[in-house]
Amino acid sequence: MKLNIERAALLKALNHVQSVVERRNTIPILANVLMDARDDVLRLAATDLDIEISDMAPAQVSRPGAITAPAHTLYEIVKKLPEGGQIVFDANPQDSRLTLACGRSRFTLPILPAADFPIMRAEGFSASFTIDRGDLARLFDKTRFAISTEETRFYLNGVFLHVTGGKTGPVLRSVATDGHRLALAEILAPAGGEHMPGVIVPRKTVVELRRLLDDADPEVQVSVSEQKVRFTTARTTLTSKVIDGAFPDYARVIPSKNGRILKVENRAFAAAVDRVATISADKSRSVKLALDGDRLTLTVNNPDTGVATEEIMSDYGSDPLEIGFNARYLLDVASQIEGDEAQFEFSDAASPTLVRDMKDAHALYVLMPLRV
């Protein structure tokens, strides 16, 4: 394999694929990136056996071929080369070395055969549809903060992406929960996606996909099977296994008859929570909310560090209520509110609370209260 490629084009493609490679690998080939050069295109691919990302960059290919080279080392080299540089790759399989030259810089890296690189199969997808890049990003951005990090409950370690009935027809919905909070977002189901199987997209896949979407085309093709999900743009493809497990019946924990309504200016509320939580040193980071008419009082009482209290204006027309929440969870939800006002819907101090964005009717959040 021999080719000439512009440094910026190679760096962009490498940046997309190398992040999926684990820093520590017991299987040497998984530490490498696949480089396949032909038809004046360099195709790159990397995998950890659960996720595969591929990208491409234009190149002047003088000798077609395919090899694999250390992903992170190659990325660090290219990143440190001067901007605007032209890079020449020359790989001779006979001595198992890749030579990289740019200006007066020259590097020699070990390679492994491309035939040993594991490729995820592209067939078997039962549903495929095209979705706007912004809509896809929104589905994950609104929910991924609630993904569980508890490995024993592996079926909560991702975002549940599925089609279900909505008020005006089928909707594509994303849901995540860690048992203490729940986040839900939805859009009208794209054509072709009405009968897709529900899948749990793993946390790492969500993170990698969001990185790719920032540079993606306006539309993304999504292909789904019960075992895999694939996201494809003009240049980049991410293929991932899905979590093999049953997502819980989340609809049962979404309250529908919470009659105590609190409306509060979201930025002021988030800032107040952040301030009073400063002295909260315990694991739960509990904050007590005392609701009484047009006053909302936030209190943190820590025997070791003291007491913090702040009062803000609110709109609340029910009986007085005191209820506690994890401050971090309140701030996470507040960060997702796009409108000026957040609406909290309570039942009592021991029941789940529903939170709505007054500007976004297609997202909601559920918080479990704490004892305070």
Side-chain angles (χ1 to χ4, degrees):
M1 181 188 81
K2 187 173 184 180
L3 61 94
N4 186 304
I5 188 169
E6 204 273 323
R7 179 247 185 200
L10 176 61
L11 182 62
K12 184 176 181 179
L14 270 175
N15 183 50
H16 286 163
V17 303
Q18 59 83 33
S19 61
V20 77
V21 177
E22 297 291 342
R23 288 287 177 177
R24 296 181 179 179
N25 268 301
T26 56
I27 305 174
I29 195 69
L30 296 183
N32 283 14
V33 58
L34 175 66
M35 306 173 65
D36 187 351
R38 64 191 71 247
D39 302 325
D40 284 338
V41 173
L42 176 63
R43 294 174 175 83
L44 304 169
T47 184
D48 65 358
L49 295 182
D50 291 322
I51 309 172
E52 177 187 283
I53 301 178
S54 63
D55 203 345
M56 62 181 69
Q60 297 175 1
V61 180
S62 53
R63 188 169 66 241
I67 53 108
T68 75
H72 294 306
T73 303
L74 181 61
Y75 176 67
E76 289 300 323
I77 290 172
V78 174
K79 188 167 65 172
K80 294 174 182 178
L81 290 174
E83 292 185 12
Q86 291 290 322
I87 302 173
V88 177
F89 285 106
D90 192 351
N92 186 351
Q94 295 178 349
D95 63 6
S96 299
R97 289 289 185 269
L98 169 67
T99 301
L100 183 160
C102 179
R104 297 184 179 182
S105 300
R106 183 181 178 88
F107 302 86
T108 301
L109 301 176
I111 61 175
L112 291 173
D116 296 343
F117 190 85
I119 299 292
M120 297 185 76
R121 298 174 62 182
E123 67 274 6
F125 295 104
S126 57
S128 183
F129 56 89
T130 299
I131 184 172
D132 178 80
R133 177 187 67 182
D135 287 342
L136 183 60
R138 176 183 172 276
L139 287 174
F140 289 115
D141 286 345
K142 291 289 185 181
T143 55
R144 61 176 175 157
F145 72 90
I147 295 175
S148 174
T149 57
E150 188 179 337
E151 298 301 330
T152 55
R153 304 173 75 183
F154 65 93
Y155 50 87
L156 299 183
N157 294 160
V159 172
F160 183 39
L161 191 66
H162 61 297
V163 172
T164 187
K167 294 180 179 179
T168 59
V171 294
L172 178 62
R173 179 178 292 173
S174 61
V175 181
T177 181
D178 59 7
H180 305 289
R181 53 187 174 169
L182 178 146
L184 178 154
E186 63 188 26
I187 61 170
L188 290 177
E194 298 90 343
H195 304 294
M196 66 167 274
V199 292
I200 306 173
V201 183
R203 182 196 307 109
K204 183 177 179 180
T205 303
V206 173
V207 172
E208 294 298 333
L209 176 63
R210 280 303 290 116
R211 293 179 65 252
L212 297 178
L213 288 179
D214 289 337
D215 292 329
D217 301 309
E219 291 189 335
V220 180
Q221 183 179 18
V222 181
S223 303
V224 186
S225 73
E226 293 184 353
Q227 293 79 36
K228 291 182 296 185
V229 61
R230 170 169 285 186
F231 304 93
T232 306
T233 68
R235 287 183 21 173
T236 310
T237 299
L238 184 155
T239 307
S240 172
K241 295 179 181 177
V242 299
I243 294 176
D244 184 14
F247 200 78
D249 183 8
Y250 63 87
R252 295 175 58 186
V253 303
I254 300 177
S256 59
K257 297 181 180 179
N258 285 9
R260 295 172 165 178
I261 308 299
L262 167 72
K263 294 181 180 179
V264 64
E265 202 278 311
N266 185 60
R267 287 188 179 181
F269 174 74
V273 171
D274 194 31
R275 280 191 289 269
V276 299
T278 304
I279 69 166
S280 178
D282 59 324
K283 185 178 179 180
S284 67
R285 298 194 68 198
S286 59
V287 175
K288 182 175 72 174
L289 276 59
L291 291 70
D292 189 1
D294 61 358
R295 293 182 303 168
L296 171 61
T297 305
L298 295 86
T299 304
V300 172
N301 190 341
N302 189 315
D304 298 323
T305 56
V307 179
T309 301
E310 183 161 345
E311 189 176 284
I312 62 173
M313 299 299 294
S314 65
D315 180 0
Y316 178 70
S318 300
D319 297 335
L321 174 69
E322 291 187 351
I323 188 169
F325 295 103
N326 182 304
R328 179 73 262 161
Y329 296 171
L330 287 174
L331 292 173
D332 283 342
V333 169
S335 70
Q336 300 301 320
I337 303 296
E338 297 178 6
D340 294 333
E341 197 173 56
Q343 177 171 298
F344 290 75
E345 302 177 10
F346 305 96
S347 175
D348 54 57
S351 300
T353 295
L354 187 65
V355 186
R356 299 184 189 273
D357 183 348
M358 300 308 291
K359 188 179 178 181
D360 185 358
H362 303 289
L364 59 83
Y365 312 92
V366 178
L367 293 173
M368 296 299 297
L370 298 174
R371 286 186 179 181
V372 291

